[in-house]
Structures are given as structure tokens and as C-alpha cells.
């Protein structure tokens, strides 16, 4: 939108609105002079000489710099002053107008500008001779003549000022006209000096015509001096401009305004109407085509250079220069003329041997000015500086991009996400929250260990692509690190964030095929929102991490942060040192939960469960201290404690004629320990317990992880004679068919399905399917969580063999277990040498 006070530029054809009145003024003034002047025309030989002098004085433009402002000067006032005094008035108008015609034809101006300048010369000269007619006649070359000549020559300059300001105002607005008037004082000063010089020359000529010889020698000397001055000044200005350009480019490279500074300086240095930078698309950088134009603020996305010249310079790898002063190729010049471009220089920008783009200038300012061959080396030097600056700028941009983006997925990294979240939480929007959704990819470690890190990288890249495609356009999707991806966006509420997390999880959940292997991609999702869960990025990221960790405990879940997760995490952190001391001092206790046959209620064994009574925190949940043991490398010690206690009690029961099997939980990470089978063998030998009385229970996720990694350890344990059980079966995504290839003896149905059998037909169907198929595979089935007689009856009906749960007994310490034996076990079953049978079931 145009600013206030600015007029939209008009076509140059509107200049006729100024040219016409000036031509009319010339006709009117000449007519009046013709009527009042006693002698209108005459002195043609002298007039011809003055015409030549006017043309010679009007062709060269002398450039001087005054207080860092460049002033262009012609010497036309000198012969004009002589003409006013020496020849008839209408002859002056004729030769001055004819000199303007010849001069502007030589400059090859367009028709509009040509006739404007001719009309301006005619109007100015005719008004000047009319003023001379109104003043007293000139007698000699005294002071009266000086004033008359000065007044007449000033009329020419006055018409020139008014007409130029008028045409600028007409075409570009009154501000442009006012600016044109402001630039005229130096030109008026130069004109005054020329008029005074003309008067001095007139005085000398009046004294003697031989003075022309001295004047000619003086002019030649001054021309020589001016030429030396112009060459020196041009070199000085070029060096200054090059220095300013280099400094501006260096400074702008730090704040991202390199192209603006570069093109503006190049356009000014080369005195061109257009300066254009073209960089083809490269990597993540799009194509760049930007142009600085002398009469336009900012940069334009168009170019005055024909695309064919740009491509020619790039393909040939060398400079392409087209114009009157640099080439005579008629075909190229004709192509430029068709586009109303008079001359062009296109320089290829190089990085080593490769061409990375082009730098271009078009249309030397001034209708009579053209690029010349000496401009090409200067522009090539500028282009070399520009190429280095652009490469450095792209390198800095690449380093900055790499610092804030993940190299594998090209997503923003944690640093970039942290900055974005910090900016987001500064803006409070009523009815909105800033939501953070953390997606933790399940099973990536198993993929890395089984298929290699290249396959793991493909999984991460695929998850990144799916998240990027599924997330709303307003969301920022990033990789928080490892196997975690973060999505942050504004939503209506925490409930909306939970809904969005569930939707995204389902949308990115799908099979992933690598060669002939198919993997299931699933994620656990943590959710935190501002302002409910934190007021800064660090707090929100910490709490969404806690929520995602909690979500991993229930595969495929979405967990909203709550303060309990943080207190539990802090508690676990504080338990690390206490657990080590507790293991050193033997403060952990082993509880035992009976396992009973469901059909005849005979006691077949016990499950050994670790319990910890902390002196400060009280009872510590097993999942808490087991997690601490996993993360602090104390898991093997914890397993040894439970194994030793279980085998010792099994030995004691056997010596008391009450042989009972013991079951010990084994963490999934333990299956990666190659020394585990040897350690189990040593403990069995140490306590003299037959291997078949020991059952090792491994969770479904640890045994059925989609790889063959645990199978060698499982086979070695089976070869020892140890029974193997799959614990918590049904909570993962594994199929019963996977059990066929595993060396296990038993399946334990997870308590969540057993406890729901009496009320949920779906849970009943799941338990029934597990029992039926497991029996077909020759596997024993243990139901966990038997807590009611109705559940017991249903398990009996579907053929489940063994159960454990609160219906029979809670986990008990050894002393209480002995009392429970005395109260629940039928003594007759013990004396008969059979498995102990429960007397009653409460």
C-alpha cells in the first residue's frame, strides 16, 4: 500500500503536459521578440561558430564532488553568453535550440525526453532574449552589460529548474519535485560560474580576437587537468566504494541482511538502475532472485536481466556483458532492446570451481551513460567478494540450522524446542493452553540390537515423517532426543491435548517394512500443558518426560502429568543410594505367595517376592525399587538376594518333608547377561535344590520382544532343568503363536484379565483362549489375581490348572507362611507323601 503523500508513478508519456506549454512559451516569446526587435536574424557565420561551440560545450559532462555530493556540469552558458551579445536575438534562439537537438540526438534520448529537452532549450532561450529586449540596450562590456547578460542567462536556468521540477512532480509526485529543487543549488552555483566565465571571455574577445588563442591554450590545459583529476577521483571513489561494500557485507552477514546490503551497494557502485542476485535452489535453500532498483525501497523479486543471459553466464562459467560500450553482438543487443534494457553485465559467482549463482547489473543510469569495458574487471572483483560473503553466510546459516535441528530426522532438536516453548508460554491467550506431547517409540533398543543401528535410524526417520504429516500445521514437531519426539501446539484444554495425543498415536501407528521384516511401530505418549504443569520450558519438558515414562509402564497408553509422578520420580532418585546400603545390610525381605491347583486345591509352590521396608519412607513399592535397581546397575544383586532366599527355603521345606517349588521373577534385562545360567547352576548346587523345583518368571515384554535375542539364554536355562514361565501374559502385543518357538514351560495370565472374568465377557474370552491354546502347546497355565469363588469356578470350568491370589493367601513373610501352612494345609496329605492340600479355602 502506498504511503501517505506519495503519488503512484505515471507513464513518461505524461511529460507532454509540460513539454507542450514550454513549446507554446517559446513560440509566444519568439513572436514578441520578432515584433519588437529591430533586427531579428543575422550574423550567420558567427552564429555557426557559436553553434559549434555550444555543441562542443554541451556534449561532455564534467563531474565534481563538493562535500561528498557529485555535481554534473556542462559549459553551455559560456557560448550562450557570447551569443546574447554578438548575434541577433532570434538567431540565438535558433542556434541554442539547434544545439540542443544535436546534443540530445547524440545522447540517443527517447522521443519524450528528447522533445522535452528541446522545448526547454527553446523556451529558456526565447524568454532570455525577450528579457534582453526589455532591458536597456547593451553598450560596450561595462557593468550594465554584465547584469543584462547575467539576467538573460539566469532565465534559461530558471526555465530549466521549473520545467524539471514540474515534470518530476507530474510523474512521481510533489515530493519528487521538491527533492529535484533541493538538488539544484550546486548546479546554480556552477551555472553562475559559467556565466561569469562567459562574461570574462566576452571582455577578452572585445579587447582582441587574438585572445582566443590564449583561451584555447587555457581550455586545453584545463581539459588535461580535469582528465587527470577525473581519473584520480574515479579510482579513489572506486576504492572507497569497494571498502564500504566489503565492510557492509561483513557487518550484514551477522544479522541476516547480507543480500540487502550487497545489492544496494553494488547498484550504487556500478551506477546501475538494477542490481540482481540469483542463486539456484540448493539443498534446503530455495531459489533466490532478488533485485535492488534505484527508485524502489527494499528488494524486488523480479529482474531486468533476460533469463537467457543468466543461464548463458552460468553454463559458460564466465562473464556475459551486453551493451553499446562492452559488446557489438547485434543479436544480444536486439534481445535487450526488445526488453527496453540498454546494457547488462552478468558475472557468475563461484565457490571453488562450481558456479553457485550470478550477480547482475542492468541499465547504467543516465540516458547517455553506458557500461564500458573497464567496468567489467571492477564488477568481477565485487562478484568475487560477494561469492565469498554468500558462502560464509550460507555456512553460518548451515551451522546455525544444524545447532537447532536433528541431523537424522531434520526436525528441530531439544534446544530449538526449548526456545519455542519459552516463547509460547510468554503469550497468555484466554481459553488456550500450550500443550507438549512427548512420543516415546517402543522397542527401538531391540531393533538396534537385533537389526543394527541403521534399521533403528530408519524407524526414527519413518516416525518423524509420520508425525510431521499427521500433526496440525500449527504444531512444532521436533526430536527431543533418542527415541523421543515432541509435538507442541496451542489447544483449548488439557482434555483436548489428551485427545490430540491419542489421535496422533493412532495415526502414526502402523506396520513398518524393512526388506522382508515387518515391525509394528507403537509409542507411549506423555502430555503436559502450560500453565497447569509449569510456567517455563525446562519445567514443562521435565514433567512431560515423567508423564511419558509413566505411560511406558502401560504399553500404548497416553498419560497426563500429575504431581504424584514427580514426587514418585524424586523418591526413586533418592532411593538409589539407600537401595545399595539395604542390599549390603540384608535389609530386603522375601515374601512368599502360595500357588494352588484349582481342581483339588493342592499347594504346588510359592512365588518369591522382594519387599523393602524403608526406615524413612516406609514400604517401598516393588516397581519403584526394581526400576531403581535397573537404572543403577544393582539388578543382578537384587535377583541374587531373592534367588538365594527362595532356594534356601525350598531346601528347608524339602528337609521337613514338605517339598515345594519356588518361582523367582527375572527382569528382561537379565536375559542379556551371558553369566546368568552359570550363576543359577552355582546356586542350585550350593543349596542342593533340584532344578525342576525352580521356576524363573520373565515378563511377556522381556521374552517376546520381536527378536531372537533372549532365546539362547532361555535354552541354556532350560537345559539346566529349570522351569521357565511367561509372566503377565496378555498385556503386550504378542501372539500366542509366538510361544511355540520359545523354550518355556508355563504361561501366567495377567491379573487384569482374571479379575475381570466375572463381569467382562471379553476378559473371559481372552483367558479361555490363552488356556486352550497353551494346553495345546503343552504349556501349564497359572492364573494370577484369583480373589473370588466365582472367578475360581470359571477358571475350573475352562480347565485352568493353577492359580494364585488373595483367595488363597496374600504374599507372606516366611514366619507367617509357616503359620499359614499349619492353619491351611491338611496334615493327612503331608503324611501320605502327597503334595500338601489346603484344608479350607476362606
Amino acid at each position: 500500500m502506498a504511503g501517505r503523500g506519495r503519488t503512484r508513478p505515471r507513464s513518461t508519456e505524461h511529460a507532454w503536459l509540460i513539454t507542450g506549454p514550454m513549446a507554446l512559451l517559446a513560440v509566444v516569446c519568439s513572436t514578441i521578440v520578432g515584433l519588437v526587435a529591430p533586427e531579428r536574424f543575422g550574423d550567420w557565420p558567427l552564429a555557426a561558430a557559436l553553434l559549434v561551440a555550444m555543441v562542443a560545450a554541451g556534449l561532455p559532462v564534467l563531474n565534481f564532488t563538493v562535500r561528498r555530493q557529485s555535481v554534473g556540469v556542462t559549459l553551455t552558458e559560456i557560448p550562450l553568453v557570447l551569443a546574447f551579445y554578438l548575434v541577433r536575438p532570434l538567431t540565438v534562439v535558433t542556434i541554442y535550440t539547434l544545439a540542443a537537438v544535436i546534443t540530445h540526438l547524440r545522447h540517443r534520448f527517447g522521443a519524450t525526453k528528447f522533445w522535452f529537452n528541446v522545448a526547454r532549450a527553446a523556451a529558456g532561450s526565447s524568454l532570455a532574449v525577450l528579457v534582453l529586449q526589455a532591458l536597456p540596450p547593451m553598450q560596450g562590456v561595462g557593468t550594465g552589460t554584465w547584469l543584462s547578460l547575467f539576467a538573460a542567462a539566469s532565465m534559461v536556468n530558471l526555465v530549466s529548474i521549473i520545467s524539471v521540477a514540474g515534470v518530476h512532480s507530474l510523474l512521481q509526485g510533489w515530493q519528487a519535485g521538491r527533492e529535484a529543487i533541493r538538488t539544484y543549488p550546486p548546479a546554480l552555483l556552477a551555472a553562475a560560474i559559467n556565466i561569469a566565465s562567459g562574461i570574462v571571455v566576452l571582455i577578452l574577445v572585445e579587447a582582441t580576437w587574438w585572445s582566443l588563442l590564449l583561451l584555447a591554450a587555457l581550455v586545453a590545459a584545463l581539459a588535461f587537468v580535469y582528465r587527470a583529476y577525473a581519473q584520480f577521483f574515479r579510482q579513489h571513489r572506486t576504492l572507497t566504494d569497494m571498502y564500504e561494500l566489503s565492510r557492509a557485507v561483513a557487518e550484514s552477514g551477522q544479522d541476516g541482511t547480507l543480500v540487502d546490503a550487497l545489492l544496494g551497494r553494488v547498484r550504487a557502485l556500478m551506477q546501475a538502475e538494477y542490481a540482481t542476485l540469483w542463486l539456484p535452489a540448493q539443498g534446503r535453500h530455495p531459489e533466490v532472485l532478488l533485485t535492488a532498483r534505484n527508485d524502489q525501497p527494499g528488494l524486488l523479486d523480479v529482474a531486468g536481466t533476460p533469463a537467457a543471459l543468466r543461464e548463458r553466464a552460468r553454463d559458460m562459467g564466465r562473464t556475459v556483458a551486453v551493451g553499446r560500450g562492452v559488446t557489438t553482438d547485434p543479436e544480444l543487443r536486439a534481445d535487450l532492446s526488445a526488453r527496453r534494457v540498454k546494457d547488462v553485465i552478468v558475472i557468475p559467482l563461484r565457490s571453488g570451481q562450481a558456479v553457485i549463482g550470478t550477480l547482475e547489473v542492468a541499465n547504467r543510469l543516465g540516458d547517455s551513460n553506458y557500461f564500458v569495458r573497464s567496468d567489467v574487471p571492477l564488477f568481477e572483483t565485487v562478484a568475487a567478494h560477494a561469492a565469498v560473503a554468500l558462502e560464509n553466510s550460507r555456512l553460518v546459516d548451515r551451522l546455525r540450522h544444524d545447532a537447532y535441528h536433528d541431523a537424522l530426522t531434520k526436525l528441530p532438536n531439544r534446544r530449538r524446542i526449548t526456545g519455542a516453548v519459552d516463547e509460547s508460554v510468554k503469550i497468555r491467550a484466554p481459553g488456550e493452553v500450550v500443550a507438549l506431547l512427548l512420543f516415546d517409540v517402543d522397542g527401538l533398543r531391540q531393533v538396534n540390537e537385533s537389526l543394527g543401528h541403521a534399521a533403528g535410524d530408519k524407524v526414527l526417520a519413518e516416525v518423524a515423517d509420520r508425525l510431521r504429516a499427521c500433526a496440525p500445521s500449527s504444531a512444532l514437531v521436533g526430536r527431543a532426543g533418542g527415541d523421543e519426539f515432541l509435538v507442541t501446539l496451542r489447544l483449548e484444554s488439557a482434555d483436548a491435548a489428551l485427545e490430540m495425543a491419542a489421535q496422533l498415536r493412532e495415526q502414526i501407528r502402523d506396520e513398518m517394512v524393512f526388506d522382508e521384516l515387518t515391525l509394528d511401530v507403537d509409542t507411549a505418549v506423555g502430555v503436559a500443558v502450560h500453565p497447569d504443569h509449569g510456567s517455563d520450558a525446562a519445567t514443562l519438558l521435565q514433567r512431560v518426560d515423567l508423564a511419558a515414562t509413566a505411560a511406558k509402564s502401560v504399553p500404548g497408553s497416553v498419560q497426563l502429568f500429575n504431581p504424584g509422578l514427580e514426587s514418585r520420580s524424586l523418591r526413586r532418585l533418592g532411593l538409589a543410594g539407600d537401595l545399595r546400603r539395604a542390599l549390603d545390610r540384608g535389609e530386603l525381605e522375601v515374601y512368599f505367595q502360595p500357588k494352588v491347583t484349582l481342581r483339588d486345591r493342592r499347594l504346588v509352590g510359592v512365588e518369591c517376592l522382594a519387599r523393602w521396608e524403608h526406615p524413612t519412607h516406609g514400604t517401598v513399592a516393588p516397581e519403584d525399587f526394581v526400576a531403581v535397581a535397573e537404572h543403577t546397575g544393582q539388578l543382578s544383586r537384587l535377583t541374587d538376594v531373592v534367588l538365594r532366599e527362595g532356594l534356601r527355603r525350598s531346601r528347608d521345606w524339602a528337609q521337613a518333608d514338605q517339598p515345594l517349588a519356588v518361582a523367582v521373577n527375572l527382569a528382561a534385562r537379565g536375559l542379556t547377561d551371558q553369566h546368568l545360567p552359570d550363576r543359577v547352576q552355582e546356586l542350585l548346587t550350593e543349596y542342593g535344590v533340584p532344578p525342576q523345583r525352580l521356576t524363573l518368571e520373565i515378563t511377556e515384554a522381556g521374552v517376546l520382544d520381536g527378536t531372537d535375542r533372549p532365546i539362547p539364554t532361555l535354552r541354556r536355562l532350560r537345559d539346566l532343568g529349570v522351569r521357565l514361565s511367561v509372566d503377565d501374559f496378555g498385556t503386550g502385543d504378542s501372539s500366542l503363536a509366538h510361544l511355540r518357538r520359545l523354550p518355556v514351560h508355563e504361561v501366567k495370565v495377567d491379573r487384569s484379565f482374571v479379575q475381570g472374568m466375572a463381569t467382562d465377557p471379553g476378559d473371559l474370552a481372552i483367558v479361555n483362549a490363552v488356556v486352550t491354546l497353551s494346553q495345546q502347546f503343552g504349556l501349564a497355565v497359572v492364573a494370577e489375581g484369583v480373589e473370588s469363588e466365582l472367578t475360581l469356578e470359571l477358571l475350573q470350568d475352562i480347565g485352568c490348572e493353577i492359580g494364585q491370589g488373595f483367595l488363597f493367601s496374600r504374599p507372606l513373610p516366611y514366619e507367617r507362611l509357616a503359620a499359614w501352612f499349619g492353619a491351611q494345609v491338611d496334615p493327612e496329605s503331608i503324611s501320605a507323601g502327597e503334595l500338601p492340600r489346603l484344608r479350607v479355602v476362606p
Side-chain angles (χ1 to χ4, degrees), residues 466 505-512 519-522:
R466 293 179 182 182
R505 176 180 166 269
E506 288 301 320
Q507 289 174 354
I508 67 175
R509 195 178 168 193
D510 199 357
E511 292 182 344
M512 190 179 299
L519 301 177
D520 288 330
V521 177
D522 200 359

Side-chain angles (χ1 to χ4, degrees), residues 372-409:
V372 295
R373 296 187 184 276
S374 61
D375 291 324
V376 175
L378 172 62
F379 194 30
E380 287 177 340
T381 303
V382 172
H385 281 285
V388 173
L390 288 168
E391 277 295 280
N392 290 341
S393 177
R394 281 197 169 184
L395 176 61
V396 171
D397 180 64
R398 191 179 304 118
L399 292 174
R400 186 180 293 115
H401 179 273
D402 292 345
Y404 288 96
H405 289 79
D406 174 55
L408 174 63
T409 62

Side-chain angles (χ1 to χ4, degrees), residues 775-787:
Q775 290 174 345
Q776 291 179 2
F777 295 154
L779 302 176
V781 181
V782 178
E784 296 181 295
V786 182
E787 297 183 0

Side-chain angles (χ1 to χ4, degrees), residues 354-531:
V355 175
I356 62 172
T358 61
L359 188 62
E360 311 157 10
V361 288
N363 282 1
R364 193 67 173 264
L365 291 177
D367 292 328
S368 60
N369 295 329
Y370 296 88
F371 294 123
V372 295
R373 296 187 184 276
S374 61
D375 291 324
V376 175
L378 172 62
F379 194 30
E380 287 177 340
T381 303
V382 172
H385 281 285
V388 173
L390 288 168
E391 277 295 280
N392 290 341
S393 177
R394 281 197 169 184
L395 176 61
V396 171
D397 180 64
R398 191 179 304 118
L399 292 174
R400 186 180 293 115
H401 179 273
D402 292 345
Y404 288 96
H405 289 79
D406 174 55
L408 174 63
T409 62
K410 311 305 180 187
L411 293 176
N413 59 16
R414 180 176 284 269
R415 180 185 299 177
R416 172 71 179 87
I417 295 168
T418 301
V421 174
D422 270 331
E423 291 299 321
S424 297
V425 299
K426 291 178 182 178
I427 303 173
R428 292 294 184 94
E432 285 187 350
V433 299
V434 178
L436 279 72
L437 318 178
L438 185 65
F439 294 79
D440 192 301
V441 181
D442 291 338
L444 184 66
R445 179 181 176 186
Q446 289 79 5
V447 173
N448 286 332
E449 292 177 352
S450 304
L451 304 177
H453 286 276
D457 289 345
K458 289 182 179 179
V459 171
L460 291 174
E462 178 64 22
V463 172
D465 290 341
R466 293 179 182 182
L467 264 180
R468 192 188 289 111
C470 297
S473 58
S474 60
L476 174 65
V477 180
R479 184 183 178 192
D483 55 358
E484 296 178 340
F485 294 87
L486 192 69
V487 177
T488 177
L489 71 166
R490 289 185 177 274
L491 293 170
E492 296 82 7
S493 63
D495 291 337
L498 285 173
E499 184 179 351
M500 175 63 69
Q503 290 177 0
L504 290 177
R505 176 180 166 269
E506 288 301 320
Q507 289 174 354
I508 67 175
R509 195 178 168 193
D510 199 357
E511 292 182 344
M512 190 179 299
V513 179
F514 294 105
D515 298 328
E516 297 180 356
L517 184 64
T518 301
L519 301 177
D520 288 330
V521 177
D522 200 359
T523 56
V525 190
V527 179
V529 298
H530 164 78

Side-chain angles (χ1 to χ4, degrees), residues 227-238:
R227 183 175 181 182
Y229 161 80
Q231 183 176 5
F232 168 78
F233 180 76
R234 185 165 54 249
Q235 292 174 348
H236 174 73
R237 188 188 65 183
T238 300

